[in-house]
Amino acid sequence: MENMMGLLRIHVHRGVNLAIRDTFSSDPYVVKLKTRVIKQNVNPEWNDDLTLSITDPSLPVKIAVYDRDTFSLDDKMGEAEFEIGSLVEALKMKLEGLPNGTIIRKIQPSRDNCLSEESCVIWSNGKVVQNLFLRLKNVECGEVELQLQWIDIPGSRGL
């Protein structure tokens, strides 16, 4: 607990145009911690929350998408990673009382990240959150939409 800085809640919203790994479709799920499997869908809407303990916010967070198979090993459908540095920097500003939807920071897609479009750290319902669209790597197609939110834990090191 003393090494932990806090928790990162990752809301896995949906996948878009994911690769087909079965005959006509796929049964995708996201792994860091595991989302539920959405049967026969290459555009799944998970709306699942995954929570990770963070000890070093400078390290990238890696996720992978798999196709669930019943009688063989699950097929990998791509992977992505993202940095949480922009979210952490916005949290350190100790912002309060901003209008809902205020953009705090913008992060542009580049060759150095998996962003498929501009990512924004915003003020939403009294909290700082970051919305991300990640392009999956090592696969022919597919993106995953996430929303990040920091959770302070009493007794942790904090930011």
Side-chain angles (χ1 to χ4, degrees):
M1 182 79 146
E2 70 247 7
N3 289 333
M4 186 170 61
M5 295 183 76
L7 299 175
L8 181 67
R9 177 173 294 140
I10 304 170
H11 178 78
V12 183
H13 180 61
R14 64 186 176 133
V16 178
N17 193 31
L18 298 178
I20 294 172
R21 290 293 181 256
D22 294 334
T23 308
F24 299 107
S25 191
S26 292
D27 307 314
Y29 63 93
V30 173
V31 173
K32 180 62 188 178
L33 299 167
K34 189 176 179 229
T35 65
R36 60 197 164 93
V37 174
I38 305 292
K39 296 277 189 188
Q40 299 179 349
N41 195 327
V42 293
N43 294 293
E45 295 217 11
W46 288 287
N47 286 314
D48 283 352
D49 288 330
L50 309 177
T51 304
L52 308 176
S53 61
I54 301 295
T55 55
D56 185 350
S58 67
L59 297 176
V61 177
K62 298 177 183 183
I63 63 166
V65 179
Y66 285 87
D67 169 48
R68 176 76 167 176
D69 287 328
T70 305
F71 300 110
S72 63
L73 292 175
D74 292 355
D75 302 312
K76 196 165 195 176
M77 297 175 67
E79 59 199 3
E81 63 182 41
F82 57 89
E83 305 280 341
I84 64 169
S86 294
L87 177 68
V88 169
E89 290 304 315
L91 289 162
K92 287 180 178 179
M93 293 179 193
K94 305 282 187 201
L95 301 169
E96 290 187 26
L98 296 175
N100 204 37
T102 299
I103 296 173
I104 302 165
R105 285 191 87 162
K106 293 181 180 181
I107 303 92
Q108 298 300 319
S110 72
R111 292 182 182 182
D112 297 328
N113 62 41
C114 291
L115 295 174
S116 60
E117 61 184 55
E118 181 178 79
S119 173
C120 292
V121 178
I122 63 170
W123 185 261
S124 177
N125 299 316
K127 299 180 187 302
V128 175
V129 299
Q130 182 176 358
N131 298 315
L132 304 135
F133 276 93
L134 300 175
R135 181 174 292 114
L136 297 174
K137 300 186 298 187
N138 302 319
V139 67
E140 60 273 17
C141 60
E143 297 179 3
V144 176
E145 181 183 354
L146 309 176
Q147 184 179 73
L148 310 179
Q149 178 186 337
W150 186 262
I151 302 169
D152 283 317
I153 299 297
S156 67
R157 283 188 353 218
L159 295 172

